[in-house]
Amino acid sequence: MAHEETVYDALDSAHGGEGQWAFGTGFDDPLAGVDTTVPDGVDPADLGAYCLMLGDDALVLAQRLTQWVTAAPELEEEVAVGNIALDLLGQARLLLARAGSAGVLGRSRERASATIPDEDALAYFRDADEFRSTGLVAAPNGDFARTLVRLLVAATVRLAVFARLRESRDPVLAAVAAKGVHELAYHRDHAARWVLRLGDGTPESHRRAQAGVDAVWPLLADVFSPTDVESRLAVAGVAVDPATVRDEVVGVLTQVLDRATLRVPGWPADAPPRGRAGAHGPELAELLGTLQGLARQHPAATW
Amino acid sequence: MSEVTAEGGHGAVPTGPEVPVAPERAVSRRDWPLYEVFVRGKRGLNHVHVGSLHAPDDEMAVHAARDVYTRRNEGVSIWVVRAADITASSPDEKDPLFAPSGDKVYRHPTFYEIPENVPHM
């Protein structure tokens, strides 16, 4: 290590000193050695539907965050938001693949060619009404402050769910959650730091942050009500009932907003699940148009 | 993409004349200080300079360094320091500082046999 040819040689931890730092080193496969059989007494259709819910949340939020690439206020923040989107995309990929292996593919297989993997078929060849993401992640970004407020809320909810999901009886969900909690803790931390600085910053940044909070809070009505699938799987020890994370989420968000000198709006009453039931506004279809356009126009394309 | 506008992106930290700049001067994005970033790899013995970035404060500089310079699993430890806090040697002094050691071969331990079990030599 004392004779590095370039500064990056010292950062290379694998490949016998071949210096391939640019391609990354020392990666782990999060599902290496994980048993992928569906646990006893669990309906594969339920398990697949639940994986779609968690996977679609990640996929849709990743796509929203990606909209900031080339438009973020600073280059460094652009990379940060892009990293977070990629973390979520990785979670989505594992979860959609799990849904596919459980046989939950919806109408996607009618459109996707056989060479396309399950997770890609689910991402690119389902219409909006087949998506199971909540309204929290589908809503437009708004300005930078509102985007970071939404990220704070979404990461707080997801971290609370994933922390419990580590104990899931489904080994794949447990492994995905164990990997995800580290990522989500960072996402929540990053968003909270920005909300603190914007809320307790200049009059203009405070105004925008408060407007962001006021715009995002009503979206929480679509977050905590369990679907029948989630209720059944929660009883079976596989899923997390979102109602059980409500107190933790309220506590964390209240603490951050208080410190950011932002007013906590009234908490919306829980409504029957909309997004989880496939009921979405036009904003999701518009988002998916961008996400899916290339794959649908050129189904055999590789890149 | 209509919601992702330059106004939305760049307006979060305002820089216009309406921002009160006294007595507490608002830190606008143009004023973000430059930080130098040092990363220690998993088996690296020391922190290595990898580059620089702009950040609004020290904490956010560590965060930004994590995202910009360790996203490919390069590091386990990060140092950041404001570039303005580094005292550097001047290029004008190059000869008086470094030329005198150029012909002092006796300062190198090349005349000793180094035992094979001595590491890091």
Side-chain angles (χ1 to χ4, degrees):
Chain A
M1 295 298 168
H3 300 290
E4 54 257 31
E5 293 273 318
T6 76
V7 293
Y8 288 104
D9 285 351
L11 305 179
D12 182 19
S13 68
H15 300 293
E18 288 167 33
Q20 293 179 327
W21 61 270
F23 306 111
T25 61
F27 289 117
D28 302 314
D29 175 3
L31 294 186
V34 174
D35 182 7
T36 56
T37 54
V38 175
D40 287 341
V42 174
D43 182 354
D46 276 357
L47 179 65
Y50 185 60
C51 290
L52 274 192
M53 295 176 189
L54 297 179
D56 286 348
D57 277 350
L59 178 61
V60 172
L61 185 55
Q63 185 69 11
R64 277 285 174 228
L65 292 173
T66 303
Q67 291 181 315
W68 276 105
V69 174
T70 72
E74 288 289 332
L75 182 62
E76 289 82 357
E77 190 55 25
E78 185 163 300
V79 178
V81 170
N83 281 347
I84 291 171
L86 282 172
D87 285 348
L88 291 169
L89 200 61
Q91 294 177 13
R93 188 176 182 190
L94 296 171
L95 288 162
L96 295 186
R98 181 62 167 163
S101 71
V104 174
L105 287 154
R107 299 195 300 274
S108 65
R109 273 292 164 214
E110 298 166 17
R111 302 195 187 100
S113 69
T115 57
I116 294 177
D118 285 346
E119 64 266 31
D120 285 4
L122 286 167
Y124 293 128
F125 294 93
R126 277 181 303 155
D127 291 334
D129 66 320
E130 289 187 279
F131 272 73
R132 294 292 177 265
S133 46
T134 69
L136 174 64
V137 293
N141 281 327
D143 62 12
F144 183 70
R146 185 161 138 196
T147 301
L148 270 290
V149 169
R150 191 254 299 276
L151 179 60
L152 171 67
V153 173
T156 302
V157 173
R158 195 169 174 84
L159 178 58
V161 170
F162 271 42
R164 290 159 177 76
L165 207 56
R166 285 178 297 183
E167 311 298 323
S168 171
R169 277 182 58 228
D170 179 46
V172 175
L173 279 177
V176 170
K179 165 184 180 287
V181 287
H182 300 300
E183 297 170 340
L184 293 162
Y186 183 80
H187 304 171
R188 188 179 76 170
D189 184 55
H190 188 79
R193 283 167 195 270
W194 269 116
V195 171
L196 287 175
R197 281 162 175 77
L198 294 172
D200 197 13
T202 66
E204 174 67 359
S205 73
H206 178 87
R207 182 187 70 76
R208 285 175 177 263
Q210 186 66 60
V213 169
D214 294 343
V216 167
W217 242 241
L219 303 173
L220 280 162
D222 197 31
V223 168
F224 298 117
S225 297
T227 57
D228 294 344
V229 168
E230 288 167 295
S231 298
R232 279 196 298 273
L233 288 179
V235 171
V238 170
V240 175
D241 182 342
T244 61
V245 307
R246 188 191 174 109
D247 288 347
E248 179 183 328
V249 171
V250 168
V252 170
L253 295 179
T254 302
Q255 190 186 358
V256 174
L257 262 57
D258 281 348
R259 281 199 51 201
T261 71
L262 293 166
R263 180 178 42 79
V264 182
W267 297 90
D270 292 340
R274 281 181 48 80
R276 295 275 191 247
H280 305 284
E283 70 277 1
L284 181 63
E286 189 190 348
L287 185 83
L288 293 178
T290 309
L291 171 69
Q292 300 174 333
L294 184 67
R296 290 193 180 204
Q297 278 197 306
H298 305 281
T302 56
W303 59 86
Chain B
M1 290 280 288
S2 61
E3 69 276 9
V4 186
T5 61
E7 188 210 346
H10 294 266
V13 183
T15 57
E18 74 278 10
V19 178
V21 293
E24 280 189 4
R25 201 170 66 92
V27 178
S28 84
R29 54 189 228 96
R30 277 182 237 133
D31 297 329
W32 282 13
L34 183 69
Y35 285 84
E36 299 297 334
V37 180
F38 300 80
V39 171
R40 183 168 71 77
K42 272 181 190 163
R43 286 191 279 158
L45 297 172
N46 43 13
H47 287 71
V48 176
H49 183 240
V50 293
S52 55
L53 51 77
H54 290 273
D57 54 47
D58 296 357
E59 271 186 27
M60 295 305 277
V62 173
H63 253 229
R66 180 263 196 196
D67 281 314
V68 175
Y69 290 110
T70 68
R71 61 196 295 272
R72 297 188 184 90
N73 210 16
E74 292 97 333
V76 294
S77 175
I78 295 171
W79 290 349
V80 295
V81 60
R82 286 196 189 207
D85 290 340
I86 294 177
T87 306
S89 62
S90 163
D92 297 341
E93 300 173 296
K94 184 166 167 261
D95 285 345
L97 282 178
F98 304 117
S101 65
D103 59 356
K104 312 287 196 295
V105 66
Y106 51 84
R107 290 180 179 169
H108 293 260
T110 49
F111 305 105
Y112 301 93
E113 292 285 336
I114 299 173
E116 280 187 7
N117 57 357
V118 174
H120 309 309
M121 290 292 281

